[in-house]
Amino acid sequence: MFIQTLILMQIGSFNDYYDKLTTIEKKNSPKEIFYKGDFSLLENGRRVAVVGSRKVSDLGVRRARKIAKLLVQNDITVVSGLAEGIDTIAHKTAIEAQGQTIGVIGTPIDKYFPAENKQLQDFIAENHLLISQFPENYPVTPKSFPIRNRTMALISDATIIVEASEKSGTKHQGWEALRLGRQLLIMENVLNQKVSWAEEMLSYGAQVLTNDNFEFLIESIPFLTTKKEYVF
């Protein structure tokens, strides 16, 4: 009952946020959102989604950590989906680096998937920001997660794909980012594996992230989604 009351009280903040969206953003935004935590993380500064494989390699772990740390160093909030693998690493690294993180989940806000991330999800809800577009008791299906990816792309200035295979659901995040006019950065190891959808994304404006350019590209990520008015 407390969680439900808290969620209902917080919808008002999202209504204010929704009013500030562009016409295209409104068309692709959920009409309501449920959250716990610091809503200002959705309005201020830059946000970057870090996504990739659930079954991540040791090299993928190191890359995800390096990217998340650099994002924090540049005062960029790390966004991810609280899935196992790259998502979990991105969230934990941001927290360890004293940065901010947003978890965008594909279940109602009081559910956990995977269950192993319950403690991490609760910590993000208490100290950072947890978002869901699915109301209490909403049935969780495989379709929920691509829908979640659209929202994750919407609230992020850029998406970084760290590691992915041909069948990876990460491709949904990449296509949504491009469709919304967000920056998409794909690590070169994904392209070296000849992942067809990643190669196709390059022709639609995605950029390759390499050891030589990743610091520059991350530092250059534009302020596309901030709803705060800055005075220069």
Side-chain angles (χ1 to χ4, degrees), residues 80 82-93 114 117 120:
S80 203
L82 267 163
E84 61 181 320
I86 294 294
D87 290 19
T88 297
I89 296 161
H91 288 304
K92 287 184 174 180
T93 302
N117 271 353
L120 176 61

Side-chain angles (χ1 to χ4, degrees), residues 24-182:
I24 294 176
E25 288 173 339
K26 286 179 179 178
K27 184 178 179 180
N28 291 279
S29 171
K31 299 303 182 287
E32 62 179 359
I33 206 167
F34 307 92
Y35 72 92
K36 292 182 69 177
D38 183 1
F39 194 82
S40 70
L41 295 180
L42 200 60
E43 301 177 291
N44 302 331
R46 292 178 292 175
R47 284 159 299 283
V48 170
V50 180
V51 296
S53 300
R54 285 178 167 81
K55 304 302 181 183
V56 59
S57 69
D58 290 341
L59 188 55
V61 170
R62 294 197 295 272
R63 286 169 171 155
R65 285 176 176 163
K66 191 171 185 178
I67 287 171
K69 286 179 182 178
L70 184 60
L71 291 171
V72 170
Q73 290 168 9
N74 283 274
D75 294 322
I76 296 174
T77 297
V78 176
V79 180
S80 203
L82 267 163
E84 61 181 320
I86 294 294
D87 290 19
T88 297
I89 296 161
H91 288 304
K92 287 184 174 180
T93 302
I95 293 167
E96 291 166 0
Q98 304 298 308
Q100 301 289 346
T101 190
I102 299 175
V104 186
I105 58 177
T107 69
I109 206 164
D110 59 340
K111 302 297 182 184
Y112 304 90
F113 186 85
E116 292 78 11
N117 271 353
K118 181 183 186 303
Q119 185 176 359
L120 176 61
Q121 182 170 314
D122 287 344
F123 184 88
I124 290 173
E126 181 70 24
N127 300 282
H128 298 269
L129 179 62
L130 180 70
I131 293 174
S132 172
Q133 64 199 86
F134 303 105
E136 190 177 10
N137 297 320
Y138 190 91
V140 180
T141 70
K143 293 181 180 179
S144 299
F145 297 93
I147 293 172
R148 177 274 311 270
N149 286 124
R150 174 180 295 180
T151 299
M152 189 153 57
L154 176 74
I155 68 170
S156 301
D157 297 288
T159 288
I160 298 176
I161 297 177
V162 178
E163 187 171 89
S165 65
E166 188 68 47
K167 296 181 179 180
S168 175
T170 301
K171 63 185 175 185
H172 298 296
Q173 174 84 16
W175 285 122
E176 291 294 349
L178 290 172
R179 194 171 60 81
L180 288 163
R182 308 301 194 229

